[in-house]
C-alpha cells in the first residue's frame, strides 16, 4: 500500500520529470555506488564467510566451538554502531573503503552460518567416493564440496547484497552517498520531494531483483539422496598452515567484533559529559516504541501466519507473498512512503507515534509472520481435528488449542521483532515524533556531527540491548536473529 | 434417536487428482456395535474416517449419524456439530493441558466441574491421573486418555484411527482389550480403522473389508475368515493355502487329493478353479508310500504348534499348521490330510 502510493507520488510529477531524474547524472552515480558497494561487500562476505566456515567445520583448527560463537557475534552489532566505532577510531576511513569494511565486517556471518550448516550436513561418503575415483583433495573441494555448499553461499551472499542495498546507518556515518543516503538528503534538503520518491522506487526495484534471485538460489538447493544418518567427514589436517589459519580467524574476529567493543569501552570511559538523564530518556523511548511496535506487528501477523500455516490457497499465498515483499523493503523507502501517505491522508498523523508504529509493522511483519507460521505449523493439525470433533468451532479451537500451542513461538517472534525495532534507524529517523529520540537516533545525531564521546554511551547501551537478547534468542530458537 | 449409530450409503469421496479414493461405500454400524474397517494402507480407510468425522467433503452419497443426516447432497454438518469422538493415531492429547483438562475438553464448564472426568478416567483404568501431563504418560496410557476424552461427551459414534499401531507388540493386545472393555462399558458405538487383520478379527463385532475404495465384504470375523468373498480377502485376513483344482459333485480334485468343498453348487460337468484352505486345516504325517508326490522341505516349531512346509510333486508348496510335531525330517515323504471343508473359487474368465 505505502509502496503504491510512493509510485503514484513519483509518477504524479509527470513522465518527463521522472525520466529527467532517472537519467540524471546523480541517479546514475548513486546507482553505481550502491551496486558497486553491494557487489564488493557481497564478494568479500562470500570469500570470508565460506573460508571461515570451512576452517571451523572441516579442519582440525583448535577450539572450533569458540570460533563458531565469536564469528557469529557481529550479527548482533547494528551496522551504524560498527560504523560509529570505526569512524571514531579512524576518521580517515570515511568513504567507500570505510563503508565496505564496516558492511563486510557485520554481514559476513550471513554467509558463514548457512555455509557452515551445509558443510555440517554434507555426507563424507560422496567426498570419499570422489577421492576413490581419482580426484585429489583440492579438486574434491572445488567440485563436490563446493557444489554442496554453493546454494547456501549464494543465498547468503544475496541476503548480504540486500542488506547492503538497504543499509542506511553505516553509509551515512561513513559519508559514502548511496541510494539510501541520497534519498534521505534529498528528502531533507529540498522542498521538491519527487526525486526522493523516484529514487525510492528505483531502490525498491533493485531490492526486489535481489530478493527474487535469493529465492531462486534457495529453491534450487540439492538435497542428499541417500537415507540414513550422514557420517561426518574426518577433519582436514592443517599441519603447518594451522597458525596462519588461526591468525586469519582471529583477525576476522578482532576486526568485526573486537574493534566495536574496545572502541566503545574507550570512548565511554573518556566521555566526561555523560548526560544520564538523556540516556535514560532515550532508553525508555526505545523500549516504548519497541514494545508497542512489536505488539502491533504481532497482532497483525497472527491471522496471516495462521492462515499461511493451515490453508494453502492462492489468496493466502498471495497475502503471504505480499508481506514478504516487505522483507526487501529498505527502511528508508518505507519511511518515505509513510511520510507521503501520512501528509496526504491524515495530516495530523505526521510525526506522531501511530505512524511510526505502522512503519515498523510494514517493515517487520514478514519477520513476525514467519515465526507465527512456523509455530502454528509445528502444532499438529490432528489436535485441531480432535477439538473440532469434541464440539468446538474453528474460532474456539484457534483460541483453545492452536494459539496456546504456538504461544512460545509467537512470543519469541514478538521478542525478535521488538529487538529489531529497537535497532532500527532510517524509518525511525523519518517518522519519529518530535522529541522522542531512540538510542539509535541519538547515536546517529551525535556521530554525524562528530561528537564521538557523547555518542559512545548510546552505542554501548544499544549493544547491550542488542547483543544480550540476541544471544538468548539464538539459544532459545536455535537460529540467528 | 432411532436407527443405526452410523449409516453410510453410496459414499464417494476423493481428491482432485484421485477422485475415487472412495468409490461408492456402504457401511452400517449398529447401536453399541464395534465395526472394524480393514484395508491395506492407501485403500481409503483414512478418507472414509475423515468424511464421517466431517473433515473431508463427500462427493456423493449420504452419511447419517443416529438417524440424523450429516452429509449428503447439499449438506455438510461441520465436525463440531456431529457428536463424534475421535481417537487418532498416537492419541494426539493436547500437550498444554493436564489429563483432566484433556478428558474434559469436550464438556461444558459445568460438566467439567462434576464427576464425569473422574468417571471416564476410572473407566479406562487411569483413576488418579488427573493432574498428570500427557508427556508423563506411557504410549498406552496416552491412548487410553484419548479414549476417555472421546467418550466423555457421550458421542454418537467413536472413531478409532489405527489407535494401536504406534504401540509395541507386547503392549498392543493389552491396551486393545482395555479399550474394547471401556467402549463396551460405556455402551458406545465405534468404528475402528486398521490394516492389522489380527486386530480387526480379534476385537470387532463386524468386519468390513475395504479395497480400492470399495467394500468387498462385510461380516462377522468368523465369516470373513472362513467364507471370504474372494481370494484377495482370503489372503488379506490370514494365511491361505490356494491350490488349483477341478470340481465335481461337491468335491475338488487337487494336488493333495480329493478335498470336500463347502456350499458349492454341484454341477455335473467338471469346473476348474481354486481351492482355499487354511494351514490349520492341513496335517502332514509320515507316509513312506507318498515318496515323489509330497516331501517335507522345512519344519518351523512355534511352541504351541508347528508349521510343516511340504513340497508337492509339481513344485507347489503348502504350509500345514498342526498341534503335534510330526516325526519327520526335511526330505522325508509325507501324506497331507485335510480337516473340514475347503472354499471353492471358480476360475474367472
Amino acid at each position: 500500500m505505502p509502496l503504491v502510493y510512493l509510485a503514484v507520488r513519483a509518477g504524479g510529477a509527470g513522465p518527463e520529470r521522472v525520466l529527467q531524474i532517472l537519467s540524471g547524472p546523480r541517479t546514475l552515480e548513486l546507482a553505481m555506488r550502491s551496486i558497486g558497494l553491494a557487489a564488493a561487500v557481497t564478494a568479500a562476505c562470500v570469500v570470508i564467510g565460506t573460508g571461515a566456515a570451512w576452517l571451523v567445520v572441516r579442519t582440525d583448527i583448535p577450539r572450533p566451538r569458540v570460533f563458531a560463537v565469536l564469528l557469529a557475534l557481529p550479527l548482533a552489532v547494528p551496522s551504524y554502531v560498527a560504523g560509529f566505532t570505526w569512524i571514531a577510531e579512524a576518521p580517515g576511513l570515511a568513504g567507500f573503503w570505510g563503508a565496505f569494511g564496516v558492511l563486510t565486517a557485520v554481514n559476513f556471518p550471513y554467509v558463514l552460518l548457512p555455509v557452515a550448516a551445509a558443510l555440517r550436513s554434507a555426507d563424507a561418503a560422496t567426498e570419499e567416493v570422489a577421492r576413490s575415483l581419482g580426484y585429489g583433495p583440492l579438486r574434491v573441494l572445488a567440485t563436490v564440496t563446493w557444489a554442496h555448499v554453493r546454494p547456501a553461499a549464494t543465498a547468503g551472499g544475496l541476503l548480504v547484497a540486500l542488506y547492503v542495498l538497504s543499509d542506511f546507518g553505516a553509509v551515512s556515518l561513513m559519508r559514502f552517498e548511496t541510494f539510501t543516503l541520497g534519498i534521505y538528503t534529498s528528502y531533507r534538503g529540498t522542498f521538491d520531494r519527487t526525486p526522493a520518491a523516484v529514487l525510492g522506487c528505483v531502490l525498491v526495484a533493485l531490492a526486489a531483483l535481489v530478493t527474487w534471485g535469493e529465492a531462486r538460489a534457495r529453491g534450487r538447493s540439492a538435497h542428499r539422496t541417500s537415507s540414513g544418518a550422514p557420517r561426518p567427514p574426518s577433519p582436514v589436517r592443517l599441519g603447518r598452515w594451522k597458525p596462519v589459519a588461526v591468525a586469519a580467524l582471529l583477525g576476522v574476529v578482532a576486526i568485526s567484533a573486537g574493534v566495536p567493543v574496545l572502541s566503545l569501552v574507550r570512548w565511554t570511559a573518556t566521555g566526561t559529559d555523560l548526560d544520564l538523564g538523556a540516556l535514560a530518556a532515550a532508553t525508555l523511548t526505545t523500549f516504548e516504541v519497541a514494545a508497542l511496535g512489536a505488539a502491533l506487528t504481532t497482532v497483525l501477523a497472527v491471522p496471516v501466519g495462521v492462515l499461511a500455516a493451515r490453508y494453502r490457497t492462492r489468496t493466502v499465498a498471495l497475502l503471504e507473498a505480499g508481506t514478504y515483499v516487505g522483507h526487501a523493503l529498505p527502511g528508508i523507502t518505507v519511511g518515505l512512503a509513510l511520510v507521503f501517505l501520512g501528509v496526504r491522508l491524515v495530516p495530523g498523523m505526521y510525526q506522531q507515534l501511530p505512524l511510526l508504529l505502522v512503519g515498523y509493522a510494514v517493515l517487520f511483519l514478514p519477520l513476525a509472520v514467519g515465526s507465527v507460521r512456523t509455530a502454528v505449523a509445528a502444532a499438529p493439525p490432528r489436535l485441531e481435528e480432535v477439538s473440532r470433533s469434541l464440539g468446538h468451532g474453528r474460532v474456539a479451537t484457534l483460541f483453545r488449542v492452536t494459539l496456546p500451542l504456538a504461544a512460545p513461538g509467537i512470543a519469541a517472534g514478538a521478542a525478535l521483532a521488538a529487538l529489531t525495532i529497537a535497532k532500527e534507524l532510517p524509518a525511525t529517523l523519518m517518522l519519529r515524533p518530535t522529541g522522542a529520540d531512540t538510542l539509535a537516533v541519538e547515536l546517529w545525531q551525535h556521530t554525524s556531527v562528530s561528537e564521538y564521546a557523547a555518542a559512545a554511551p548510546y552505542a554501548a547501551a544499544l549493544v547491550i540491548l542488542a547483543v544480550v537478547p540476541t544471544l538468548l534468542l539464538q539459544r532459545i530458537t536455535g537460529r540467528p536473529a | 434417536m432411532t436407527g443405526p449409530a452410523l449409516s453410510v450409503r453410496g459414499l464417494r469421496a476423493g481428491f482432485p487428482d484421485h477422485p475415487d479414493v472412495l468409490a461408492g461405500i456402504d457401511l452400517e454400524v449398529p447401536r453399541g456395535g464395534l465395526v472394524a474397517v480393514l484395508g491395506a494402507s492407501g485403500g481409503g480407510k483414512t478418507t472414509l474416517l475423515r468424511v464421517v468425522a466431517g473433515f473431508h467433503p463427500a462427493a456423493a452419497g449420504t452419511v447419517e449419524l443416529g438417524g440424523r443426516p450429516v452429509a449428503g447432497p447439499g449438506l455438510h454438518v461441520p465436525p463440531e456439530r456431529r457428536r463424534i469422538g475421535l481417537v487418532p493415531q498416537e492419541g494426539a492429547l493436547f500437550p498444554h493441558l493436564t489429563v483432566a483438562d484433556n478428558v474434559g475438553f469436550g464438556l461444558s464448564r459445568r460438566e467439567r466441574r462434576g464427576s464425569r472426568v473422574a468417571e471416564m478416567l476410572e473407566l479406562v483404568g487411569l483413576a488418579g491421573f488427573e493432574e498428570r501431563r500427557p508427556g508423563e504418560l506411557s504410549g498406552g496410557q496416552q491412548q487410553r486418555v484419548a479414549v476417555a476424552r472421546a467418550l466423555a461427551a457421550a458421542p454418537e459414534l467413536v472413531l478409532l484411527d489405527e489407535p494401536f499401531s504406534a504401540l509395541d507388540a507386547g503392549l498392543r493386545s493389552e491396551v486393545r482389550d482395555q479399550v474394547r472393555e471401556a467402549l463396551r462399558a460405556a455402551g458406545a458405538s465405534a468404528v475402528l480403522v486398521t490394516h492389522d487383520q489380527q486386530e480387526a478379527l480379534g476385537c470387532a463385532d463386524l468386519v468390513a473389508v475395504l479395497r480400492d475404495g470399495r467394500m468387498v465384504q462385510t461380516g462377522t470375523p468368523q465369516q470373513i475368515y472362513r467364507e471370504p468373498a474372494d481370494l484377495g480377502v482370503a489372503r488379506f485376513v490370514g494365511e491361505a493355502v490356494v491350490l488349483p483344482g477341478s470340481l465335481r459333485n461337491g468335491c475338488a480334485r487337487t494336488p493333495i487329493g480329493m478335498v470336500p468343498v463347502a456350499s458349492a453348487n454341484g454341477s455335473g460337468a467338471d469346473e476348474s478353479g481354486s481351492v482355499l484352505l487354511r494351514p490349520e486345516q492341513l496335517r502332514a504325517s509320515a507316509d513312506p508310500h507318498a515318496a515323489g508326490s509330497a516331501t517335507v522341505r522345512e519344519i518351523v516349531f512355534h511352541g504351541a504348534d508347528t508349521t510343516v512346509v511340504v513340497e508337492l510333486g509339481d513344485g507347489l508348496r503348502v504350509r500345514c499348521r498342526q498341534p503335534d510335531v510330526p516325526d519327520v525330517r526335511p526330505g522325508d515323504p509325507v501324506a497331507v490330510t485335510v480337516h473340514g471343508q475347503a472354499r471353492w473359487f471358480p476360475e474367472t474368465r
Side-chain angles (χ1 to χ4, degrees), chain A residues 193-222:
Chain A
R193 286 177 175 174
T194 310
V198 173
L199 293 179
C201 289
V202 176
L203 182 57
V204 169
L206 271 180
L209 202 67
V210 173
T211 313
W212 176 75
E214 195 229 337
R216 277 193 53 135
R218 204 193 297 248
R220 266 200 316 234
S221 60

Side-chain angles (χ1 to χ4, degrees), chain A residues 14 36 90 116 119 125 143 344 451 467:
Chain A
L119 280 175
T143 54
R344 171 67 67 88
E451 294 173 2
V467 174

Side-chain angles (χ1 to χ4, degrees), chain B residues 22 43 54 93 169 173 176 226 252-253 292 304 331:
Chain B
L22 299 179
L93 298 183
S173 61
R176 191 199 300 160
R226 300 231 172 90
R253 178 186 301 278

Side-chain angles (χ1 to χ4, degrees), chain A residues 53-420:
Chain A
W54 184 77
L55 283 176
V56 169
V57 176
R58 282 301 180 80
T59 66
D60 60 346
I61 201 141
R63 309 218 167 263
R65 277 163 197 279
V66 176
F67 271 119
V69 172
L70 286 179
L71 286 167
L73 269 187
L75 276 185
V77 182
S79 70
Y80 53 85
V81 170
F84 155 73
T85 59
W86 285 43
I87 196 105
E89 292 300 321
L93 269 177
F96 175 82
W97 292 108
F100 167 77
V102 167
L103 288 171
T104 306
V106 298
N107 280 327
F108 79 87
Y110 287 111
V111 177
L112 178 118
L113 292 175
V115 170
L119 280 175
R120 280 199 191 95
S121 74
D123 195 345
T126 51
E127 292 175 19
E128 286 164 5
V129 167
R131 288 296 292 277
S132 73
L133 290 173
Y135 280 46
L138 280 180
R139 210 167 148 208
V140 169
L141 196 63
T143 54
V144 180
T145 313
W146 173 243
H148 186 83
V149 302
R150 193 179 48 205
T154 314
L158 288 169
L159 205 57
V160 170
L162 191 64
Y163 285 144
V164 173
L165 279 182
S166 56
D167 181 75
F168 172 76
V171 293
S172 65
L173 294 182
M174 285 293 169
R175 300 186 192 97
F176 183 67
E177 196 163 30
T178 58
F179 258 116
T180 48
L181 190 53
I183 292 168
Y184 186 72
T185 44
S186 78
Y187 161 75
R188 276 283 132 121
T190 57
F191 284 104
D192 179 12
R193 286 177 175 174
T194 310
V198 173
L199 293 179
C201 289
V202 176
L203 182 57
V204 169
L206 271 180
L209 202 67
V210 173
T211 313
W212 176 75
E214 195 229 337
R216 277 193 53 135
R218 204 193 297 248
R220 266 200 316 234
S221 60
H223 292 288
R224 211 162 64 92
T225 48
S226 54
S227 57
R231 197 165 41 80
S234 48
V236 174
R237 294 245 163 80
L238 288 172
R240 61 203 158 90
W241 292 101
K242 196 186 274 188
V244 181
V246 172
L249 286 189
L250 281 178
V252 170
V253 171
I255 289 173
S256 61
V259 168
V261 170
L262 286 179
S263 166
L264 282 185
V265 170
R266 193 166 79 82
W267 282 100
T268 310
T270 55
T272 45
D273 52 349
L274 178 56
D275 187 348
L276 268 179
L279 181 63
T283 311
L284 205 64
T285 308
T286 307
F287 270 116
E288 189 190 332
V289 296
L292 290 174
L296 177 67
T297 311
T298 307
V299 166
L300 292 177
V302 165
V304 183
V306 169
L307 285 174
R310 283 291 183 258
Y311 309 98
R312 298 295 318 171
T313 65
R314 194 168 296 178
T315 339
V316 172
L318 204 69
L319 191 64
E320 203 197 6
T323 66
Y324 272 88
V325 169
H327 182 66
L329 280 186
I332 192 97
T333 32
V334 170
L336 192 64
L338 283 175
V339 167
F340 289 151
L341 204 59
V343 169
R344 171 67 67 88
L345 295 182
V346 267
M349 286 262 286
Y350 178 52
Q351 295 208 323
Q352 292 295 312
L353 191 59
L355 198 63
L356 178 63
L357 297 183
V358 170
Y360 288 146
V362 172
L363 275 173
F364 302 119
L365 199 57
L367 195 73
V369 167
S371 3
V372 172
R373 200 180 99 141
T374 318
V376 171
R382 215 169 263 279
L383 293 178
E384 291 172 15
E385 293 183 357
V386 170
S387 167
R388 298 280 308 274
S389 75
L390 287 170
H392 297 291
R394 275 178 207 278
V395 177
T397 297
L398 181 67
F399 280 102
R400 289 193 60 181
V401 177
T402 317
L403 289 184
L405 285 175
I410 295 175
L416 198 60
L419 197 61
T420 321

Side-chain angles (χ1 to χ4, degrees), chain A residues 113 117 120 412 416 470-481:
Chain A
L113 292 175
R120 280 199 191 95
L416 198 60
T470 305
L471 288 180
L472 281 178
L473 262 182
Q474 210 167 331
R475 184 148 294 181
I476 295 166
T477 60
R479 63 177 179 199

